[in-house]
Amino acid sequence: MANVLTPQGEDFPRWYQDVIAKAQLAENGPARGSQVIRPSGFALWERMTAEMDARIKETGTENASFPLLIPESYFTREADHVEGFAPELWMVTHGGGKELEEKLAIRPTSETVIGEYMAKWVNSYRDLPLLLNQWCNVMRYELRTRLFLRSSEFLWQEGHTVHESYEDAHAFTLRILHEVYADFMENVLALPVLRGIKTEAERFAGALNTFAVEALMRDGKALQMGTSHELGQNFAKAFDIQFQGKDGRQAHGWTTSWGTSTRMIGGLIMGHGDDAGLRVPPNLAPVQVCVMVVKDTDEVQTAARKVADELKGDGLRVKLDHRGDVAFGRRAVDAELKGYPVRIEVGPRDLKNGEATVVSRVAGTKETVPLGMLAEAVAAALQGAQEQLWNEALEFRESRTADASTVEEAVEAAQSGYARLPWDACGVEGERKAAESAVTVRVL
Amino acid sequence: MANVLTPQGEDFPRWYQDVIAKAQLAENGPARGSQVIRPSGFALWERMTAEMDARIKETGTENASFPLLIPESYFTREADHVEGFAPELWMVTHGGGKELEEKLAIRPTSETVIGEYMAKWVNSYRDLPLLLNQWCNVMRYELRTRLFLRSSEFLWQEGHTVHESYEDAHAFTLRILHEVYADFMENVLALPVLRGIKTEAERFAGALNTFAVEALMRDGKALQMGTSHELGQNFAKAFDIQFQGKDGRQAHGWTTSWGTSTRMIGGLIMGHGDDAGLRVPPNLAPVQVCVMVVKDTDEVQTAARKVADELKGDGLRVKLDHRGDVAFGRRAVDAELKGYPVRIEVGPRDLKNGEATVVSRVAGTKETVPLGMLAEAVAAALQGAQEQLWNEALEFRESRTADASTVEEAVEAAQSGYARLPWDACGVEGERKAAESAVTVRVL
Ligand SMILES: [Zn+2]
Ligand SMILES: [Zn+2]
């Protein structure tokens, strides 16, 4: 079979673009750096949001919705924040045919507007912790964009919380990092992640500390998959988020914010994909099993529908591909491209023997299975696929992590993966030096 | 107990504002007409989207995500559409500190940008029908705004489809109207809806026909709860959505679009609410049962948690209110305000007898129930509440619908509800005359 995609080893960025186009995941939108997420791509995001949302709610956080447009003046209240975001804003200047009195920015993130409302809602220690999240779109002006990874508009969740004390806020920042982000990425996405603290240079604008989770892509480069920020009292002071404590005294709250975005789709593609396309871990997969008719006969169609219905009845996410009018070969290539963990081919020859063919995308196996045993075979294949993706990613990371004792060694090692370097041996100077070779300090 | 809310009979619009504030559903945002939806309000929306999304997917429609910003030039391609929407646009003129080459509008609706992409994706009759939907925010400049009902920014779903023929598109428009919109509103929201076609004056900008579902609010006024538009070939021609038919000839597609929004939250409030607050139908309710501790003792806390866990185990949506440090009376008023269908009060006196108190918000009943019988009592109360809300709304609508034979009679009847008037007796002239008395022709 001719390659549908540029091989990874030949040109990884090109392979990435090819997969997105051929698997019909996304396209560029009309405005600079905007994107159209097509149904195959959006289904991945829907599964991500469902899994993440359940974990976020487990922490006691509630969803809300804040406005898209933020008055320009809000940004100026926290000095570091305005410096960090001003150059990236998209500005609305007209509404209803008239010039607006105050310019409005499309939210690049919502600390400021949410801070304004938190200040109204928080009065007493009884109101704390206040734990909010929203799923929404945000925009940041970008000159060089790549679908999912760096786009002007993206979809994300942003959590914002207020706590009584430094300790509470600190603990919550880490709880999100470990129990929500890393747990989702490791157990659902099957991507081992490094968790740690960002250097001052990479910190969120206005934060005390930024924690991040980073995954290693198959080209040996790290991708930041999510961040959780301790904002200290910076925003609480800028927006006057005060409460009366148990001791009767007024105090400023301690806030956090944390986010993950459609960039995780990019991480999924580059963390597991191969030269045939996506490989989607079964715990995430919107389609865990694709049941395909090999030939368009009544007998085959009926049998395929029955197989699909039974697997659905077992609680699996199943797609029935009954398109008799599209060549089977083309549909099989498409199933590989989209990375369905298991496909079941139902054809007249197998059916005569009371069998169907089970193809495992990750293991690369193809076996004939009696119809009565399909449920077990599929369950085993799904579990195997989840484990194999995890193991491959973990082994790849281990093989690409080198210990270094100097910045020079680290820069060299980082050409093909992670370098583990004591911060004492790096420091701010070392970070600057590494940056000249396009190497960044990921987490401490 | 003193009224927490302005009574409906005294001032309905004021009552509406009071409920939204006191039940902490939403607040005005900083930009004109924008809104902040608080967790209690957003939980209603999450349940609406979950129920609607399942129905939308049942029709074979898939979710996608299109960009927020639309080049100004896109709007000019369909003449009626630009005329309808140009005065309402919010315009982005600057990005990254520079003036943009082409102004971008924040989407007021996405027919234009989606039309642009559909034209790329549709080539053959095999690609049809193309059934897409997105859940997103949109903005329309509004001078006079009311939370949920008319806001500059709102959340909605917008479906966009392309079909092979007029008949297919027509049938799909009606399928959405009946099987998705009316089904959801009647079976989940417990609001009987009128379904019909809009007059030319009320039609969507660029549509052949607009169908709508309308519900009667408790002040006797109709609220449009959703619309489904037949767009004919207007957008297909403007954006050149063409396909090769089974006969080998090129033809333009037939498109539809359809939407429902956070306005449904307003409809829920005004369709069922009473002087004590919201009344949320159990099929929708994010909290079907609120289990409340009456006193803060270990025994009560343990028993309440056990009751809540058991009901959760039965698949109900349950909230445990264990706040021993907030006065019980205040919490009970809050439960009424938020309209939880059932609350269970767990107190030391009842517990001694192995009982708890079940309060039904809609029936207005309060009964002591043995702990072992709670599950049955709650199930019966929930079913009763769903039915009662439906019956009350239906009876109210019947009592407020009058037959009229002239426009004058209809205008009089419409002061307190619906007037049923043959279109022959009304016509475009009659519609204009009725409009002078602030009466609109809702559906034909
Ligand atoms: Zn202050
Ligand atoms: Zn054309």
Side-chain angles (χ1 to χ4, degrees):
Chain A
M1 176 165 69
N3 280 329
V4 202
L5 308 171
T6 307
Q8 289 188 336
E10 196 177 304
D11 184 341
F12 195 86
R14 183 80 181 273
W15 167 86
Y16 179 75
Q17 283 186 324
D18 283 0
V19 175
I20 291 177
K22 295 286 168 64
Q24 305 190 322
L25 302 179
E27 295 189 14
N28 289 312
R32 179 193 281 279
S34 68
Q35 56 193 6
V36 172
I37 307 181
R38 302 183 67 175
S40 298
F42 199 77
L44 295 169
W45 182 239
E46 281 185 304
R47 284 285 307 138
M48 288 181 180
T49 58
E51 292 283 340
M52 289 276 295
D53 198 63
R55 285 168 176 76
I56 289 169
K57 286 185 172 135
E58 268 302 305
T59 69
T61 301
E62 296 183 301
N63 284 334
S65 171
F66 290 85
L68 174 73
L69 302 183
I70 303 179
E72 196 177 27
S73 59
Y74 280 31
F75 286 90
T76 59
R77 295 203 214 154
E78 214 290 333
D80 291 335
H81 194 71
V82 65
E83 207 183 298
F85 282 105
E88 301 185 4
L89 298 179
W90 292 78
M91 302 301 301
V92 177
T93 55
H94 291 72
K98 286 197 205 110
E99 186 155 5
L100 301 172
E101 276 172 33
E102 180 175 6
K103 284 181 202 157
L104 301 166
I106 293 179
R107 61 184 164 216
T109 178
S110 304
E111 278 75 9
T112 59
V113 65
I114 295 182
E116 177 84 1
Y117 285 84
M118 283 177 155
K120 297 168 68 173
W121 300 333
V122 170
N123 294 299
S124 145
Y125 69 91
R126 284 194 192 82
D127 302 324
L128 301 179
L130 176 59
L131 311 175
L132 299 176
N133 179 62
Q134 71 174 343
W135 291 95
C136 65
N137 54 347
V138 290
M139 288 196 73
R140 299 173 186 180
Y141 193 84
E142 298 283 357
L143 281 171
R144 304 183 59 183
T145 63
R146 288 181 71 197
L147 288 167
F148 297 129
L149 298 175
R150 183 180 294 279
S151 49
S152 288
E153 182 185 6
F154 52 92
L155 306 180
W156 80 343
Q157 64 63 220
E158 47 176 322
H160 298 270
T161 68
V162 192
H163 304 262
E164 238 182 297
S165 66
Y166 167 78
E167 289 72 24
D168 282 0
H170 179 75
F172 198 80
T173 312
L174 291 176
R175 183 174 178 190
I176 293 295
L177 193 77
H178 295 296
E179 293 177 25
V180 177
Y181 292 173
D183 183 77
F184 165 73
M185 292 167 196
E186 301 200 328
N187 294 315
V188 180
L189 297 187
L191 286 171
V193 289
L194 289 183
R195 315 152 185 210
I197 197 165
K198 287 284 185 185
T199 63
E200 192 177 344
E202 300 267 319
R203 196 179 286 163
F204 178 76
L208 281 192
N209 272 317
T210 288
F211 297 90
V213 279
E214 307 257 344
L216 196 64
M217 304 293 101
R218 285 163 68 96
D219 60 351
K221 293 197 175 119
L223 184 74
Q224 179 176 296
M225 299 278 285
T227 48
S228 185
H229 315 293
E230 279 188 280
L231 304 175
Q233 295 184 308
N234 293 346
F235 285 86
K237 285 182 178 161
F239 289 89
D240 209 20
I241 304 173
Q242 285 200 44
F243 67 98
Q244 191 176 42
K246 289 188 187 100
D247 58 4
R249 287 159 68 177
Q250 289 293 114
H252 285 103
W254 296 80
T255 68
T256 82
S257 69
W258 27 281
T260 52
S261 72
T262 33
R263 168 184 269 202
M264 288 193 292
I265 302 174
L268 172 78
I269 299 170
M270 297 196 299
H272 291 309
D274 67 13
D275 286 347
L278 281 181
R279 298 191 305 169
V280 184
N283 289 356
L284 180 78
V287 175
Q288 295 174 307
V289 184
C290 181
V291 179
M292 307 175 73
V293 302
V294 175
K295 276 212 173 168
D296 191 10
T297 70
D298 284 355
E299 199 197 356
V300 165
Q301 292 284 7
T302 307
R305 182 167 298 277
K306 194 166 164 238
V307 166
D309 286 346
E310 281 176 8
L311 293 171
K312 261 184 222 169
D314 292 344
L316 296 180
R317 296 184 289 274
V318 180
K319 181 190 177 82
L320 175 62
D321 176 3
H322 56 76
R323 293 172 297 164
D325 58 351
V326 181
F328 177 73
R330 205 178 125 191
R331 290 184 286 131
V333 167
D334 191 55
E336 299 268 301
L337 267 169
K338 293 197 168 130
Y340 306 142
V342 170
R343 65 175 196 267
I344 300 179
E345 302 175 353
V346 180
R349 235 173 294 168
D350 283 346
L351 269 188
K352 251 181 215 158
N353 305 323
E355 296 175 330
T357 299
V358 173
V359 185
S360 182
R361 172 73 176 82
V362 178
T365 54
K366 194 165 182 162
E367 41 171 359
T368 314
V369 175
L371 294 174
M373 308 275 284
L374 274 181
E376 281 159 69
V378 166
L382 291 175
Q383 199 190 328
Q386 186 76 26
E387 285 170 11
Q388 186 178 338
L389 286 172
W390 168 262
N391 290 335
E392 279 184 20
L394 193 63
E395 278 160 31
F396 181 72
R397 187 180 76 182
E398 293 314 311
S399 75
R400 294 297 184 95
T401 304
D403 282 304
S405 52
T406 68
V407 173
E408 288 71 20
E409 277 178 35
V411 167
E412 205 193 314
Q415 301 309 318
S416 63
Y418 284 122
R420 203 184 286 124
L421 175 72
W423 178 246
D424 288 348
C426 176
V428 175
E429 267 313 303
E431 187 177 9
R432 213 167 286 146
K433 208 148 86 180
E436 289 166 12
S437 316
V439 169
T440 51
V441 176
R442 308 304 306 193
V443 289
L444 301 180
Chain B
M1 178 165 67
N3 281 327
V4 201
L5 307 171
T6 306
Q8 289 188 336
E10 198 177 301
D11 184 341
F12 195 86
R14 183 79 180 274
W15 167 86
Y16 179 75
Q17 281 186 325
D18 283 0
V19 176
I20 290 176
K22 296 285 170 67
Q24 305 190 321
L25 302 179
E27 294 189 15
N28 289 312
R32 180 193 280 282
S34 68
Q35 57 194 6
V36 172
I37 307 181
R38 301 184 66 176
S40 299
F42 199 78
L44 296 169
W45 181 239
E46 282 186 303
R47 283 286 307 137
M48 290 181 178
T49 58
E51 292 282 342
M52 290 275 296
D53 197 64
R55 285 168 175 76
I56 290 170
K57 285 185 172 135
E58 268 304 302
T59 68
T61 302
E62 295 183 301
N63 285 335
S65 171
F66 290 86
L68 174 73
L69 302 183
I70 302 179
E72 194 177 27
S73 58
Y74 281 31
F75 286 89
T76 60
R77 296 204 214 153
E78 213 290 332
D80 291 334
H81 194 71
V82 66
E83 208 183 297
F85 281 105
E88 301 185 3
L89 298 179
W90 292 80
M91 301 301 301
V92 177
T93 55
H94 291 72
K98 286 198 205 108
E99 186 153 6
L100 301 173
E101 277 173 33
E102 179 174 7
K103 284 182 202 157
L104 302 166
I106 294 179
R107 61 183 164 215
T109 177
S110 305
E111 277 75 9
T112 59
V113 64
I114 294 182
E116 176 84 0
Y117 284 84
M118 283 176 153
K120 296 168 69 174
W121 300 334
V122 170
N123 294 299
S124 145
Y125 69 90
R126 285 194 192 83
D127 302 324
L128 300 180
L130 176 59
L131 311 174
L132 298 176
N133 179 63
Q134 71 174 343
W135 291 96
C136 64
N137 54 346
V138 290
M139 289 196 74
R140 299 173 186 180
Y141 192 85
E142 298 283 357
L143 280 172
R144 304 182 58 182
T145 63
R146 287 181 71 196
L147 288 166
F148 297 129
L149 298 175
R150 183 179 294 278
S151 49
S152 289
E153 181 185 5
F154 52 92
L155 305 181
W156 80 343
Q157 64 64 220
E158 48 176 323
H160 298 270
T161 68
V162 192
H163 303 263
E164 237 183 296
S165 66
Y166 167 77
E167 289 73 23
D168 282 359
H170 179 74
F172 199 79
T173 312
L174 292 176
R175 182 172 179 192
I176 293 295
L177 193 78
H178 295 297
E179 293 178 26
V180 177
Y181 291 173
D183 183 78
F184 166 73
M185 291 166 197
E186 301 200 328
N187 295 316
V188 180
L189 297 187
L191 287 171
V193 290
L194 289 182
R195 315 153 186 211
I197 198 165
K198 287 284 184 186
T199 63
E200 193 177 341
E202 299 268 319
R203 196 179 287 162
F204 178 76
L208 281 192
N209 271 317
T210 288
F211 297 90
V213 278
E214 307 256 345
L216 196 63
M217 303 293 101
R218 286 163 68 95
D219 60 351
K221 293 196 175 120
L223 184 73
Q224 180 176 295
M225 298 278 284
T227 48
S228 186
H229 315 292
E230 280 188 279
L231 303 176
Q233 293 184 308
N234 293 346
F235 285 85
K237 285 181 180 162
F239 288 89
D240 210 21
I241 304 172
Q242 286 200 44
F243 66 98
Q244 191 175 43
K246 288 190 188 93
D247 58 5
R249 287 160 67 178
Q250 289 293 113
H252 285 103
W254 296 80
T255 68
T256 82
S257 69
W258 27 282
T260 52
S261 72
T262 35
R263 167 184 269 203
M264 288 194 291
I265 302 174
L268 172 79
I269 299 169
M270 296 195 301
H272 291 309
D274 66 14
D275 287 347
L278 280 181
R279 298 191 305 169
V280 184
N283 289 355
L284 180 78
V287 176
Q288 295 174 307
V289 185
C290 180
V291 179
M292 306 174 74
V293 301
V294 174
K295 277 212 170 166
D296 190 10
T297 70
D298 284 355
E299 200 197 353
V300 165
Q301 292 285 8
T302 307
R305 181 166 300 275
K306 193 166 163 238
V307 166
D309 287 345
E310 281 176 10
L311 293 171
K312 261 184 223 169
D314 293 344
L316 296 179
R317 295 183 288 276
V318 180
K319 181 191 177 82
L320 175 63
D321 175 2
H322 55 76
R323 293 172 296 164
D325 58 350
V326 182
F328 178 73
R330 207 180 123 192
R331 288 184 287 132
V333 168
D334 191 56
E336 299 268 301
L337 268 169
K338 292 195 169 133
Y340 304 144
V342 170
R343 66 175 194 267
I344 300 178
E345 303 175 353
V346 180
R349 236 171 296 170
D350 283 347
L351 269 188
K352 250 180 217 159
N353 305 324
E355 296 174 331
T357 300
V358 174
V359 185
S360 182
R361 172 75 176 81
V362 178
T365 55
K366 193 164 182 161
E367 42 171 359
T368 314
V369 175
L371 294 175
M373 307 275 283
L374 274 180
E376 282 159 67
V378 166
L382 291 175
Q383 199 189 328
Q386 186 76 26
E387 285 169 13
Q388 187 178 337
L389 285 173
W390 168 262
N391 290 335
E392 279 184 20
L394 193 64
E395 278 159 30
F396 180 74
R397 186 179 77 182
E398 293 313 312
S399 74
R400 295 297 185 95
T401 304
D403 282 305
S405 53
T406 67
V407 173
E408 288 71 20
E409 277 177 35
V411 166
E412 205 193 314
Q415 301 310 317
S416 62
Y418 285 124
R420 204 184 285 122
L421 175 72
W423 178 246
D424 288 348
C426 177
V428 176
E429 266 314 302
E431 187 178 10
R432 212 167 286 149
K433 209 149 81 179
E436 290 167 11
S437 315
V439 169
T440 51
V441 177
R442 308 305 304 194
V443 289
L444 301 181

